Amino acid sequence: METKEPAIAYGNRKFTVEEYLERERAGDRKHEYFQGEIFAMSGASLRHNVIFKNLYGTLAYSLKGHPCQPYGSDMRIHIPQNTLYTYPDIAIICRDIMEDGADTDNFIEPSVLIEILSPSTRNYDRGTKFKLYRDIPSLQEYILVDSEIIGVEVFRLNKEGHWQLEEYKNGDEFLQIRTVGFQLSLSEIYLGTKLM
């Protein structure tokens, strides 16, 4: 299956941040913005949505009252260091929600970002997007959950400031999000996907 990056939505025209935000407020589809270009985001499959429900629902319940809170893909993240505006599948923010000043719907400084991989975006999420996410000074963990096979990759920032990979591939293993002291078995993450 072809793997590609998000498609440019409006040709080669460059847009200002203000133009992008105005289009997002007026439109019914989500787009990413990077260095003047606007990119259409692909829709999510049924399996993607089941994985999201299982993971987000358990996270939201487990972190109730915790200073770190999870937010779904309607939460737009802005990375001022590189201009990216994007909608991660799940963002965990461990401080007061910080508005970036440009728009009240943009938030900065997540501690954990989770992307559910689809065939069309897996290389982008693993490569270019992860490189852009690494510019976030507060980011401690970046988690990739495969929607085609049982597999979770966790990139953690270690004490030396290097990203280390930990992989989970079996249903009886537990995904650990150390930033918030959370764990969930892969069998629960993939419940209802028919991958197990």
Side-chain angles (χ1 to χ4, degrees):
M1 191 169 283
E2 182 183 2
T3 303
K4 57 187 177 182
E5 294 188 2
I8 295 176
Y10 299 101
N12 291 325
R13 179 179 170 219
K14 295 287 185 178
F15 292 86
T16 65
V17 168
E18 292 75 19
E19 289 173 318
Y20 161 71
L21 294 174
E22 185 178 324
R23 286 175 179 269
E24 286 301 275
R25 282 190 290 271
D28 58 356
R29 293 194 61 198
K30 294 185 280 191
H31 298 82
E32 289 188 343
Y33 175 91
F34 180 64
Q35 296 183 346
E37 294 183 305
I38 296 175
F39 301 88
M41 296 185 69
S42 60
S45 68
L46 175 59
R47 192 176 285 153
H48 179 289
N49 280 296
V50 170
I51 291 168
F52 172 83
K53 173 189 66 75
N54 292 342
L55 188 51
Y56 180 79
T58 307
L59 263 172
Y61 180 79
S62 297
L63 297 180
K64 189 174 182 179
H66 193 281
C68 299
Q69 289 297 303
Y71 298 89
S73 60
D74 286 332
M75 167 78 81
R76 185 169 54 232
I77 299 293
H78 176 217
I79 307 173
Q81 293 83 351
N82 59 36
T83 77
L84 180 67
Y85 285 82
T86 189
Y87 299 84
D89 289 315
I90 300 172
I92 300 175
I93 299 178
C94 292
R95 57 186 68 199
D96 290 336
I97 297 293
M98 300 176 66
E99 297 173 3
D100 73 358
D103 182 59
T104 56
D105 295 328
N106 300 312
F107 301 93
I108 60 174
E109 300 193 3
S111 296
V112 179
L113 291 173
I114 302 171
E115 295 287 5
I116 300 167
L117 300 177
S118 67
S120 64
T121 63
R122 94 176 39 252
N123 283 351
Y124 173 62
D125 288 340
R126 280 193 176 118
T128 303
K129 197 170 202 180
F130 183 31
K131 184 176 180 183
L132 295 171
Y133 280 167
R134 291 196 302 263
D135 286 338
I136 301 170
S138 59
L139 189 64
Q140 298 297 307
E141 293 178 272
Y142 180 49
I143 300 166
L144 299 170
V145 181
D146 205 310
S147 67
E148 299 295 305
I149 59 169
I150 296 169
V152 177
E153 299 168 298
V154 180
F155 294 90
R156 290 192 183 91
L157 196 59
N158 65 21
K159 293 177 184 176
E160 291 77 35
H162 301 290
W163 289 94
Q164 291 185 314
L165 171 63
E166 187 170 338
E167 295 182 87
Y168 305 89
K169 297 181 178 181
N170 299 307
D172 57 356
E173 292 183 291
F174 283 80
L175 162 64
Q176 296 192 19
I177 306 178
R178 293 181 185 161
T179 304
V180 293
F182 172 85
Q183 69 175 17
L184 183 65
S185 71
L186 267 64
S187 62
E188 292 175 282
I189 293 171
Y190 287 97
L191 183 66
T193 63
K194 299 187 177 178
L195 288 173
M196 302 193 68

